[in-house]
Every structure is written in C-alpha cells, then in structure tokens.
Amino acid sequence: MAGKRKNNPAGWTNSYRGDVLRVLGALKVATADQIQRIGAPHLTFRHADKPTPSKRKQARTASHTAALSDMRGHGLSENGGSTETGDALRNLTPKGLLAASYELNRPVTEMGSTARGAGSSGASHPMAVNETVIAMLCPKPNMARLTVDPPHVQAAAQAAVDGPDGIGTIASFWTEVPLPATGTWNAPGKGGAQADIVLTAPQDGVPLLFIEVDNCHETAEELADKLEKYARFFKRRVKDTDGRERPMWRTRWTVPTDPRADQPYPPVLLVFNRLGERNPNRTVPRLMELTRHLWQGEREEGGHHRYDKKIPIIAVGLNQLREHGPTGEVFARFGRSGPQSLLEAIGNPRLDAAIARARQRQRALAEEQQARARQAAQEQAAEREVRRPGCTGCGARFTDARWQAVQPKDWGATKDSHPHLCDTCKQKASAAVSPAADTQERQEPERGEAGPDDSWPASQRPVCTECGAAFTDERWKATARVGWSPFPAKRPSLCGECDRRFEADLDLAWGVGHRQEECDQEQEPAVPEQKATGWFSRLRG
C-alpha cells in the first residue's frame, strides 16, 4: 500500500482515471468540474450540506482533482491555464492522448491535438463547446451509488434521472474535427472548415450531426461563409478503398440510406451562447437568407419537401438546450415554421408520413387483391360443389376421389361399373350381384378377356347399357369373347331381355319377309369355287 501511495500520492483510482481520459480525449480541454459532471454525475448531488457553492464544488470534484494530480505526475495530463472564472484547465499530453485512445476505442490519428495554450485567453469558446456537449448528453446519476446517501440527495438525483433524456455517450462526441475541402484528413488544405463538435449516436437516431457553437461574436456573413465551407466539404468526392468514388465524409462516417427517401447532406446544428454583443434573433433571419440555396428543398405533392443535396441547418440557444435537452421542442430548422425536437428537426417527418401513407396504400391494395383472390376461390369452390354429382342410391355427394374415379376415361381405359353410385353404394351393389359365398361358381371375366383355355379370371359383371341391369351368368357367358374370336352375340352390350325386345322391335319395323329373307340368306349354302384346269389355268397363272 505504501508503494502505491508513493507512485500515486493523491490516491486516484482507475475509475476516476478512466473518467479523465474519456472526457479529455473527447473534449481536449476541460475543467475538473466538467469532468466530474460528465464522468460521475452522481457526485453532483452529494455534499449539499456544504455552506457555499464553492465548497460544494470543491468537495464533489476532489476525487477527479486528485486523479488529475497523479496523472500529471505520470506525464499523462497537464495544466492548460484557467478560465475567466479562475477554474484550472486540464488537457492531455501526447502520452495521455495515446492512453485515451484505448479508453475511447479510437485510432490515435483521430484523437486530434493536445489543445495546449487553449486557456491563454480564458478558453471561452472551448468552455461553451463543453457545455454544449453536457447539455446534449444530459448525464444521468447512477442511483445504485447513492443508496447510503440521505433521502433529499436521492430525491434530487431521481429528479435528474426523470428529466429530459440525452443523446449518446461521451464516446459519441469528437471536437475540433477538420473537414478538408482540399488535402487529406491528417493534412487538410485551405478552404475547409473545422467542426466544433461531431456527434455520432445511431443508437439514439442521430447517425451524424455537426455542431457549431457561437458565443454571439460572429456576424451572419461570417457564419454563412463557414456553412459554405461545409457545403464544399460535403460535395467533395474521393476514391474509397474499393476504387469507387464516394463523398469524402462517407469514407469516415456511416449514414444509412433509403432509396425511397431523399438524400440530404448531414445536418448542421448552430448553438448560440449569449456572451457577445450579437443578438441571435437578428442574426438567424439574416443567415437564413444568405444560405437559402444551401438548405431550401423542393416541394412535392402531399405537402412535403425533398432535400436532396441540401444541408439541414438548425439553430438553438444554449440556455434552452440546457433546460429542455435534445428532446425538447426548442430547435428551429431553417425553412420550417415552428420549433421541433432535435430528431424531428434533423429529419423529414412529412416525407416519412408520406412514405408511410404510400406503404399503407400498398398494403391495403395487396390485402384487397388477396381478398378478391380468396373470394374468387370461394366462388369457384361453391360452383364446383354445385356441379358435384350425388349418389342415386343414398343421395350423398361424391367425394373428390370418387368424383375423379367416375370421370370419362381415355379410349380403351376401364370404365367404372357404377358411375352413379358412391363408394359405399357401389360396394353394396357389387355384393348384391355377386354369387353366394357357399356357391362354388367360377368367376366370369369381362368380355374379350377370357384365355384360350376358357379360363375366366375374376372381374366385374357386365351391365346392360339399355336398362342398367346386371347380366345373368348365362347372358354373360353368351356374350363373352374368347381370345381373338368375334362376339358370339350380335348385341353383346344388351342383356337377354333387352336383346329379345330389340329383336321384336326389329320384326315389327321391317316385317317378317325381311327377317325371313335374312334367315334364308344365312341358311343358303355357299357354292364352292370350281378349280380351273387346262390352258385357262395356265393363262391365269
């Protein structure tokens, strides 16, 4: 323990060291008060019993002040002057920036400068930048670290927890980021801008936001010139790692694209801190007119605008941002009538609503088409049910399989023996015409399927095509064809009774003479052909 105290005489812990590295790595220069409010906001509500604000401030920042003292001894941090109120400014050394890159999980090349000399003139602008970051973060105290504190401390901390929500974490912010219109990221050329803050918090709906902080010292023309530099940077295209040209800003930051929506440039937020003599209420209208070509969109049917290749420019006061946070309706976007929340201001709610309505219409149309298809299928099924045949025996409707079985077959295919009966009635009809189980009568085949040895394989009994009655055994055998021989009966498709009735009708129609003449022709013996002999036979040959 003694050795540790010798190396770190102020007794800082790893948690406070991490707070310092993360905050100074992102902000470059800050006071112990700002480091504490961002890194350990629960300490803000302790030491409320101290008699003066200065003593309360000293008590709640003591841990981070001690950590900064020890880090200065290790060459990680250094004092960078003081603010106009006398607070000491702290910044990291190159060694400290290297350690901060691990805490923030950033490449060392993106850590920026060490901000030495920032406090030589009071650092009013860096302090306003830091206060803007704190207002955007809205740091929430960890209630689990206040369980042993008095109830009034817990109540005040809970009120902060229930207050406006912030956006991102300290690792979501970059400060003093060059935006080169010429040159490279690490060696920017002339004509480019430098963003005071860059915010990337896609988890909170802000994939990319550039923030400019003005202490009300700059004129509208000076601000317009800075926005023109932003436009030059956004238009610049370079070759990416795959050899294709892309906007330079897309090679460093990822912003999702929607081909159905517009494709504006990243938004720029102007934060006005009322320190100088300029009045934002007069500066902003003049700035809107000077930069109209940069932000004005094209109106489309439906009342929304498209902002392809335009810069969404939003303005807000730092005091309003502190009070309401990024979710408060205090952001004024150039070209819009009323204040909005930050997410609404950087977005395009009317276009989103129009796209949502179009998608709703598409869904409604698809559902209507599906409903029509279902209705047509139901009507087709109902029409099919009307055409479904019924059994003449029991009246039941045919099943699909039975209906398919009685459909007309191809030429030569076996036809159903009872096409007007269902399966159950067909089985009963077949059982009724079958011989008794105790009668050893051989099964007769269908006509034309008997073998040459007069063997009769089991088959279905023929049915008269005239009356529908099943053939008797005598009639079945009398009409059966054996092998390739012709049918022995003239009308093999009629039963015996229908065959006799047909003969009687034929006698009645043609008369007995005609029938007798046919019989005589049938009974007249054929005259044998005489064999030719002699020379005539040779001539024929």
Side-chain angles (χ1 to χ4, degrees), residues 208-487:
L208 181 60
L209 175 66
F210 294 90
I211 303 176
E212 285 294 320
V213 181
D214 178 31
N215 284 335
C216 296
H217 294 306
E218 295 179 290
T219 64
E221 287 74 14
E222 290 172 332
L223 293 175
D225 182 65
K226 186 176 293 186
L227 292 174
E228 290 286 355
K229 293 179 180 179
Y230 268 91
R232 288 188 62 192
F233 168 69
F234 290 148
K235 294 176 182 178
R236 184 181 179 186
R237 300 178 67 88
V238 295
K239 283 189 176 181
D240 206 346
T241 54
D242 58 358
R244 297 181 180 179
E245 276 199 353
R246 286 184 176 86
M248 187 175 186
W249 63 270
R250 284 193 178 275
T251 63
R252 184 168 183 178
W253 297 290
T254 301
V255 176
T257 58
D258 187 352
R260 293 165 294 190
D262 56 352
Q263 302 297 330
Y265 290 134
V268 178
L269 174 64
L270 303 176
V271 180
F272 292 94
N273 184 27
R274 295 294 296 270
L275 291 181
E277 67 282 1
R278 304 288 179 183
N279 186 351
N281 294 329
R282 290 194 293 269
T283 302
V284 170
R286 174 62 177 162
L287 181 61
M288 290 176 60
E289 291 300 323
L290 294 173
T291 59
R292 184 177 296 275
H293 62 287
L294 298 179
W295 56 261
Q296 189 172 36
E298 297 181 0
R299 186 178 180 86
E300 296 191 351
E301 295 182 2
H304 61 273
H305 290 75
R306 284 192 177 271
Y307 300 96
D308 291 319
K309 305 299 184 292
K310 300 295 181 178
I311 304 176
I313 303 176
I314 307 102
V316 69
L318 180 57
N319 292 332
Q320 291 178 316
L321 183 59
R322 282 198 188 107
E323 181 180 356
H324 301 282
T327 58
E329 294 186 354
V330 294
F331 297 85
R333 176 164 171 174
F334 287 9
R336 295 184 183 174
S337 57
Q340 299 175 302
S341 67
L342 179 61
L343 294 184
E344 292 177 339
I346 66 177
N348 195 345
R350 291 184 178 180
L351 177 59
D352 295 339
I355 294 176
R357 289 194 297 270
R359 291 174 178 172
Q360 181 64 29
R361 288 194 297 268
Q362 291 177 355
R363 285 194 296 268
L365 180 61
E367 291 175 357
E368 183 180 354
Q369 292 176 347
Q370 292 176 359
R372 286 200 298 265
R374 287 193 299 267
Q375 183 178 359
Q378 292 173 358
E379 292 176 354
Q380 184 178 4
E383 181 183 356
R384 188 171 184 269
E385 289 301 318
V386 172
R387 294 187 290 104
R388 185 185 294 274
C391 177
T392 57
C394 65
R397 293 286 184 178
F398 280 19
T399 62
D400 290 342
R402 181 59 180 159
W403 192 3
Q404 180 65 27
V406 300
Q407 293 294 320
K409 302 295 190 299
D410 295 335
W411 181 263
T414 304
K415 297 181 179 180
D416 195 274
S417 61
H418 300 79
H420 302 295
L421 299 179
C422 64
D423 288 327
T424 303
C425 295
K426 175 185 175 182
Q427 294 176 1
K428 292 180 180 179
S430 300
V433 300
S434 297
D438 55 349
T439 304
Q440 302 298 324
E441 183 180 0
R442 70 179 180 181
Q443 300 292 326
E444 301 290 349
E446 291 184 356
R447 293 189 295 268
E449 295 185 0
D453 57 350
D454 200 24
S455 60
W456 304 91
S459 182
Q460 296 178 345
R461 184 179 295 272
V463 179
C464 178
T465 59
E466 183 69 21
C467 65
F471 279 22
T472 61
D473 292 344
E474 292 77 12
R475 180 61 179 172
W476 190 3
K477 186 172 182 180
T479 60
R481 181 171 61 183
V482 178
W484 293 95
S485 62
F487 284 113

Side-chain angles (χ1 to χ4, degrees), residues 19 85 180 215 226 328 371 393 520:
D19 292 342
T85 58
N215 284 335
K226 186 176 293 186
D520 293 342

Side-chain angles (χ1 to χ4, degrees), residues 22 25-28 97-98 100-112 169-175 177 198 200 252:
R22 283 188 293 271
L27 303 183
K28 304 301 186 296
L97 284 177
L98 179 60
S101 68
Y102 293 104
E103 288 288 335
L104 294 172
N105 194 24
R106 294 180 185 174
V108 179
T109 55
E110 296 182 8
M111 293 303 298
T169 64
I170 188 60
S172 304
F173 293 85
W174 281 259
T175 58
V177 180
V198 177
T200 58
R252 184 168 183 178

Side-chain angles (χ1 to χ4, degrees), residues 2 43 53 144 162 171 518 527:
L43 296 177
D162 299 335
E518 286 185 354
V527 179

